[in-house]
Amino acid sequence: MATLRFATAFVFLLSLLHAFKVSKCQSFIGINYGQVADNLPPPSETAKLLQSTSIEKVRLYGADPAMIKALANTGIGIVIGAADGDIPALASDPNFAKSWINSNVIPFYPASKIILINVGNEVMTSNDQNLMNQLLPAVQNVQNALNEASLGGKIKVSTVHSMAVLRQSEPPSTGMFHPNLVQMLKGLLSFNNATGSPFEINPYPYFAYGSDPRPETLNYCLFQPNPGRVDSNTNIKYTNMFDAQVDAVRSALNAMGFKDVEIVVAETGWPYKGDSNEVGPSIENAKAYNGNLIAHLRSMVGTPLMPGKSVDTYLFALYDEDLKPGAGSERAFGIYKPDLTMTYDIGLSKSSQAPSMPKTPATAAPTPVSPASPTPTPVSPSPKPVSPSPKPNKASWCVPKVGLSDAQLQTNLDYACGHGIDCSPIQPGGACFDPNTVASHAAYAMNLLYQTAGRNPWNCDFSQTATLSSNNPSYNNCVYPAGGST
């Protein structure tokens, strides 16, 4: 009896530790709050919305005092920004930097949890040589002002870069910065390294898909099953573009000797609509990209070059910005509407973190057709057969086929967990965590998706890498759900 009580207590302790780990792991999910709009809800309502989600960080492009104040005592981390136009004064006048900190930080901190100050946005690819040269002195003066206010160890300072700072990104192992930017980046990276502040980057698979609108590229961008792309230098098979882009940045940092500088994804997202000549915008694609990205981050798998941890990632964006210039897609990145309802559900709400992802989320770019031609059918990674077989009457389980690579199994795992199922049993402390192998975890997740998605033959397809079995794969306390009659 004592042994049983001890075992029960131990399992309970594991459950608590697992719950704590899961609750803490949301800290890597942030969101961008742009304000180029005339229809945004009051800051207080936005603060309440954020508190109802698993989002734990919000990035402002400026330092709106009303929004910063509204986030006081919420525990939400706040990133604020100094505008590009402030950089010359920040660089040349330390007193201006002190005044900036005194106006935008001191009145609100620590009640408002300011964690990072971005000086400028994508300055290094602005082609403004004067501004580029002034960026490092501006960053240093802001840091010095924080130090004088005894906040140097509590609030970090950095700047945000576009992917255009890379001269090369494919394959990821060859990632390198543009030679014309290397010297200036070296100074900024030395600052990042010395202060522990992150190197911030804006990867957008959406834009990469626009230049290569093939169905297989779309699935690669949306974390959907795809053949993958092998880095010939490392033999690593990448199954999604997000990991490939982030690892290209990692390679570029490593090549310059900055292996310890952390990467933060300051922006990434997918528009849900756009102009008729734009490739890729749709509700289905936006939901698939953002939803599967969140599932990938929550899996804690990491990237091939940074395994076992998730990169802090700020989704773009909280709301549409209806006054933004440019293509229609520029005004259609909002995950929430100004009335605080969801544009589409990707599991951010604390009350429902497991949305039902679309069965066919990948809406491929249409093949050019004449105006009289019908709209092409969206591409599906697992198309329904014309005459589907009936659902099995006996208990059946969906299992991976023999001989699959770990890369393919990982793709299936990410795909399944990204479709609204409960993958907590294969996380640390879960009943099916051991054996801690991608094959075991993928098998559990693939079967659970099959069982919850309708138990149709096409629900156990996974790009022809899965099969139905009448043998129950359950073991020990790990129970594989099954439908049908036993």
Side-chain angles (χ1 to χ4, degrees), residues 30-43 46 49-50 55 57-64 67 71 78-81 118 121 204 266-268 314-325 330-338 340:
I31 200 159
N32 286 270
Y33 175 65
Q35 295 176 282
V36 186
D38 61 4
N39 60 350
L40 298 178
T46 293
L49 171 64
L50 291 170
I55 296 166
K57 300 176 183 177
V58 60
R59 177 191 171 202
L60 312 181
Y61 288 82
D64 177 19
M67 194 65 235
L71 291 167
I78 308 167
V79 180
I80 61 175
N118 285 329
N121 185 46
Y204 275 94
E267 282 182 28
T268 191
Y314 291 78
L315 303 174
F316 188 86
L318 184 57
Y319 303 119
D320 288 345
E321 295 177 87
D322 65 331
L323 299 182
K324 264 193 169 183
E330 288 291 325
R331 296 175 290 282
F333 278 86
I335 296 171
Y336 288 87
K337 300 175 183 178
L340 307 180

Side-chain angles (χ1 to χ4, degrees), residues 125-394:
T125 48
S126 66
N127 294 321
D128 186 331
Q129 199 66 37
N130 188 45
L131 204 63
M132 293 159 67
N133 289 329
Q134 292 175 317
L135 182 57
L136 178 58
V139 167
Q140 291 170 328
N141 280 341
V142 171
Q143 180 68 57
N144 292 338
L146 283 174
N147 293 343
E148 289 193 23
S150 300
L151 296 175
K154 300 172 182 177
I155 300 174
K156 303 296 184 182
V157 183
S158 191
T159 190
V160 178
H161 306 281
S162 78
M163 285 293 289
V165 296
L166 294 181
R167 172 70 175 270
Q168 185 169 322
S169 62
E170 187 65 33
S173 64
T174 64
M176 62 177 290
F177 292 115
H178 199 287
N180 295 344
L181 303 177
V182 165
Q183 284 306 117
M184 285 181 283
L185 285 173
K186 187 175 291 185
L188 289 166
L189 286 167
S190 295
F191 173 87
N192 293 142
N193 194 51
T195 63
S197 65
F199 181 83
E200 298 177 81
I201 194 74
N202 294 341
Y204 275 94
Y206 163 70
F207 292 117
Y209 171 61
S211 61
D212 182 16
R214 295 175 295 163
E216 57 266 36
T217 302
L218 183 62
N219 289 338
Y220 184 60
C221 289
L222 298 182
F223 300 85
Q224 299 292 353
N226 64 90
R229 299 181 182 183
V230 177
D231 186 322
S232 59
N233 295 318
T234 61
N235 287 325
I236 292 173
K237 186 176 183 179
Y238 284 85
T239 55
N240 69 81
M241 187 173 289
F242 178 84
D243 282 356
Q245 290 186 331
V246 172
D247 272 2
V249 176
R250 181 76 271 164
S251 295
L253 292 172
N254 293 353
M256 285 183 63
F258 294 100
K259 295 183 179 181
D260 295 328
V261 171
E262 176 192 4
I263 295 172
V264 164
V265 173
E267 282 182 28
T268 191
W270 198 286
Y272 63 87
K273 66 180 180 180
D275 296 331
S276 59
N277 63 341
E278 291 189 90
V279 176
S282 74
I283 286 280
E284 294 80 9
N285 289 349
K287 181 175 181 177
Y289 178 74
N290 286 316
N292 289 338
L293 171 59
I294 290 171
H296 183 54
L297 294 173
R298 285 176 175 163
S299 75
M300 300 298 288
V301 171
T303 72
L305 297 187
M306 295 180 289
K309 63 177 182 179
S310 290
V311 174
D312 280 10
T313 299
Y314 291 78
L315 303 174
F316 188 86
L318 184 57
Y319 303 119
D320 288 345
E321 295 177 87
D322 65 331
L323 299 182
K324 264 193 169 183
S329 60
E330 288 291 325
R331 296 175 290 282
F333 278 86
I335 296 171
Y336 288 87
K337 300 175 183 178
D339 65 4
L340 307 180
T341 60
M342 300 174 188
T343 306
Y344 47 86
D345 186 3
I346 52 174
L348 288 175
S349 173
K350 287 179 180 176
S351 62
S352 174
Q353 291 189 19
S356 176
M357 299 298 289
K359 291 181 181 178
T360 56
T363 305
T367 305
V369 293
S370 66
S373 301
T375 304
T377 303
V379 172
S380 166
S382 302
K384 287 186 178 182
V386 176
S387 300
S389 304
K391 297 178 184 179
N393 291 322
K394 294 184 179 181

